Amino acid sequence: MTPNSNEEQRLVKQLQNGNKAAAREFFSRYGDCLAGVCSRYIVNEEDLKEVFQNALIHIFSHIARFEYRGAGSLKAWATKVVVNESLKFLRTKSRHELLFTEVGTSKTVQFAAMPSQPDDDTEAPPLSDIPPDAIRQMLSQLPTGYRTVLNLYVFEGKSHQEIASLLGIKRDSSASQLHRARAMLAKMIKKYNDDNPPRR
């Protein structure tokens, strides 16, 4: 359950005062959600534990600098920290899993080869009727670069220009990765729906 403004503000103040019970309350309220955000970017279980732990350390060690801006702002800030820690990991330890080839040039930004993907204009159909666990499984099967761009664009609401800046690629490359990710996801969703027809 999402806390109201007064509850959240109280929690922020207690966290900033170093209250250990508040840290446990924070984890109880937001831990599952934040871990879910992290898992959208980081597939390997051991890497996920490391990145999520680093994100929590960052949250608790930087909470004193956090400025409360109303209901939901604590969760939004914590989510941003988790995303940033995930991207930091992908830019360093997992660089070999990402590849962004600059369109129309011979320059390749140093990240690993991705398999060729469909170039059709298929868009992913709605996900509302598919269980969250199935969606997470589908996302985990996308190449890391595709998954990263899709997450930033769809879930974090980033523009292609912002994604390009975060990942050190061109705007057109971000758009291309998103297009291919959606095409792959559409095929996986179609297969899921074919294998799991609605009950009548």
Side-chain angles (χ1 to χ4, degrees):
M1 183 173 63
T2 303
N4 61 36
S5 180
N6 290 336
E7 290 176 336
E8 194 175 52
Q9 204 164 9
R10 169 195 56 77
L11 180 59
V12 169
K13 288 180 180 178
Q14 291 179 343
L15 287 169
Q16 291 176 333
N17 289 331
N19 186 303
K20 291 183 179 180
R24 290 192 293 271
E25 180 182 347
F26 173 89
F27 189 80
S28 174
R29 287 185 180 275
Y30 304 114
D32 287 346
C33 175
L34 296 177
V37 171
C38 195
S39 69
R40 292 204 312 261
Y41 292 87
I42 312 297
V43 175
N44 179 274
E45 188 173 347
E46 290 305 314
D47 292 339
L48 173 61
K49 289 178 182 177
E50 177 186 341
V51 174
F52 187 50
Q53 181 178 12
N54 289 341
L56 290 176
I57 290 171
H58 184 104
I59 289 168
F60 292 132
S61 61
H62 290 77
I63 189 66
R65 302 179 193 176
F66 170 70
E67 293 182 17
Y68 186 73
R69 300 180 186 275
S73 60
L74 175 61
K75 181 181 178 181
W77 173 74
T79 298
K80 184 177 180 180
V81 170
V82 170
V83 171
N84 287 341
E85 286 295 323
S86 299
L87 295 179
K88 180 176 163 184
F89 176 87
L90 293 173
R91 285 193 299 260
T92 54
K93 293 185 179 179
S94 292
R95 288 179 71 88
H96 63 284
E97 294 182 11
L98 297 163
L99 174 108
F100 294 97
T101 303
E102 303 298 342
V103 178
T105 74
S106 59
K107 178 182 176 185
T108 297
V109 181
Q110 176 97 27
F111 292 109
M114 288 190 255
S116 56
Q117 299 301 338
D119 353 327
D120 58 54
D121 295 324
T122 307
E123 293 294 330
L127 300 173
S128 55
D129 296 330
I130 300 179
D133 286 346
I135 295 171
R136 281 193 288 269
Q137 180 62 26
M138 292 178 197
L139 290 174
S140 73
Q141 294 175 38
L142 293 174
T144 304
Y146 294 4
R147 184 174 64 251
T148 302
V149 170
L150 182 71
N151 275 313
L152 289 171
Y153 187 88
V154 175
F155 295 103
E156 314 306 335
K158 301 292 185 185
S159 68
H160 285 304
Q161 192 58 53
E162 290 171 318
I163 294 171
S165 177
L166 283 169
L167 301 179
I169 61 175
K170 287 185 177 178
R171 184 186 180 282
D172 287 348
S173 296
S174 174
S176 173
Q177 304 306 317
L178 177 65
H179 171 78
R180 294 176 181 181
R182 280 176 164 166
M184 283 190 72
L185 192 56
K187 289 191 173 184
M188 286 188 272
I189 291 171
K190 182 179 184 307
K191 183 178 186 307
Y192 178 89
N193 287 333
D194 288 345
D195 293 344
N196 300 273
R199 295 180 179 177
R200 294 182 179 178

